């Protein structure tokens, strides 16, 4: 027997969406990747950083990722002391838990949302609690005084796609005696975001990722916006070289090329609306989504059946066995052509 901590020995690993080795032979709509390539400026910046012979890689990157912080701060209208860069927003989620939730203390999130919060909290020995939705898409039974150390609010919600409005998020922040993390992994695809609340409420942290809206899942880039005391705490506990040289070059180029970014996001959102309408036409239910995915409900509410039927047609979507979600499927928005083929397959499958 390995002398593992009991909690590690007993826990299950988080299972990320399947990455098939022969990705090109699939219509891959299972991990909310962007169907469009990143800005061409990203490739140029990475090549420039690399130089002719890769010489730059001999040296460690800037431990602060300062150019990335500056670019994000400018884009979002904050002082750079309110921004931190990370190796994916998953790193930030992990470090927020490490910073704020000690052994036996409580971390909460909305069920259904991103269950990786629970895995990371358990690793720290924290207790995990979930809050469900009420019929009007607010949270059911959220306490007036929530004493947990951290509460993760995924907005837009993944996988359902609904966004919480800022008046409601502000009310929740007022109920939390700990930190309210608004995980805005998909906010770029939504009309709303909670950035103004970071200044208004002293316990609100926003996490963002470049994986989805900036087409950079393979670079592993995330960022958080919060007041400087919180950023300083996160800076204390991160790996000192958490963002590599190429990723630092990539994030600056990606954030600078807003016209390209806007054109991709606009295309994805237009495709999402067309696909959602198409789903309804073939008798599927669909929750209006503010993300780059939709939660689709087959007529017989058997998500696994449709997942399997799509899988056999080399269309990969996400099915969750969680009883809150097993009746549907999360389908990432791909190109128009991919979504038309998916709709045709769904119409055939029924
Ligand atoms: C994709 C996703 C993340 C992780 O983003 P990375 O930056 O790729 O680590 C975090 N939260 C939610 C809700 C996500 O969907």
């Amino acid at each position: 027997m390995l002398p593992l901590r009991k909690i590690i020995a007993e826990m299950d690993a988080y299972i990320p969406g399947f990455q098939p080795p022969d990705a090109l032979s699939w219509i891959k709509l299972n991990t909310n990747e962007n169907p469009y390539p990143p800005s061409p400026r990203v490739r140029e910046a990475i090549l420039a950083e690399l130089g002719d012979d890769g010489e730059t890689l001999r040296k460690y990157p800037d431990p602060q990722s300062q150019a990335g912080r500056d670019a994000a701060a400018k884009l979002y209208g904050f002082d750079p002391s309110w921004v931190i860069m990370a190796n994916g927003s998953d790193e930030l989620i992990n470090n927020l838990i490490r910073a704020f939730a000690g052994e036996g203390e409580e971390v909460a999130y909305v069920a259904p949302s991103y269950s990786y919060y629970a895995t990371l909290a358990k690793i720290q020995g924290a207790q995990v609690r979930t809050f469900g939705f009420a019929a009007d898409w607010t949270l059911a039974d959220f306490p007036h005084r929530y004493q947990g150390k951290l509460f993760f609010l995924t907005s837009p919600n993944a996988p359902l796609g609904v966004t919480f409005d800022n008046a409601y998020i502000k009310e929740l922040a007022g109920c939390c005696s700990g930190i309210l993390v608004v995980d805005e992994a998909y906010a770029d695809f939504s009309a709303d975001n909670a950035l103004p609340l970071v200044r208004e409420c002293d316990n609100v942290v926003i996490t963002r990722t470049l994986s989805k809206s900036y087409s950079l899942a393979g670079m592993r880039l995330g960022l958080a916006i919060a007041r400087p005391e919180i950023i300083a705490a996160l800076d204390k506990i991160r790996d000192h070289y958490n963002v590599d040289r190429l990723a630092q070059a990539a994030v600056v180029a990606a954030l600078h090329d807003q016209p390209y970014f806007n054109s991709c996001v606009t295309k994805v959102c237009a495709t999402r609306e067309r696909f959602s309408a198409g789903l309804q036409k073939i008798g599927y239910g669909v929750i209006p989504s503010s993300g780059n995915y939709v939660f689709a409900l087959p007529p017989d509410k058997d998500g696994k059946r449709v997942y399997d039927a799509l899988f056999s047609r080399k269309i990969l979507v996400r099915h969750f066995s969680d009883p809150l979600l097993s009746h549907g499927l999360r389908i990432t928005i791909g190109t128009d052509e991919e979504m038309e083929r998916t709709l045709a397959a769904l119409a055939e499958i029924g």
Side-chain angles (χ1 to χ4, degrees), residues 45-61 219 243-249:
I46 290 172
L47 291 176
E49 177 60 38
L50 209 45
D52 288 339
D53 54 2
E55 156 72 14
T56 50
L57 295 185
R58 196 170 56 75
K59 290 184 274 163
Y60 284 108
M219 283 310 291
V243 183
D244 70 62
R245 267 180 185 276
L246 303 184
Q248 288 191 34

Side-chain angles (χ1 to χ4, degrees), residues 63-108:
Q64 304 299 331
S65 309
Q66 194 59 47
R69 290 189 206 221
D70 292 347
K74 189 159 173 240
L75 178 63
Y76 300 123
F78 286 84
D79 184 84
S81 60
W82 292 59
V83 180
I84 186 169
M85 305 303 299
N87 179 30
S89 67
D90 285 344
E91 185 202 3
L92 291 163
I93 296 165
N94 191 20
N95 286 346
L96 283 160
I97 295 168
R98 290 169 72 206
F100 289 101
E103 189 143 352
E105 292 179 325
E106 191 173 286
V107 171

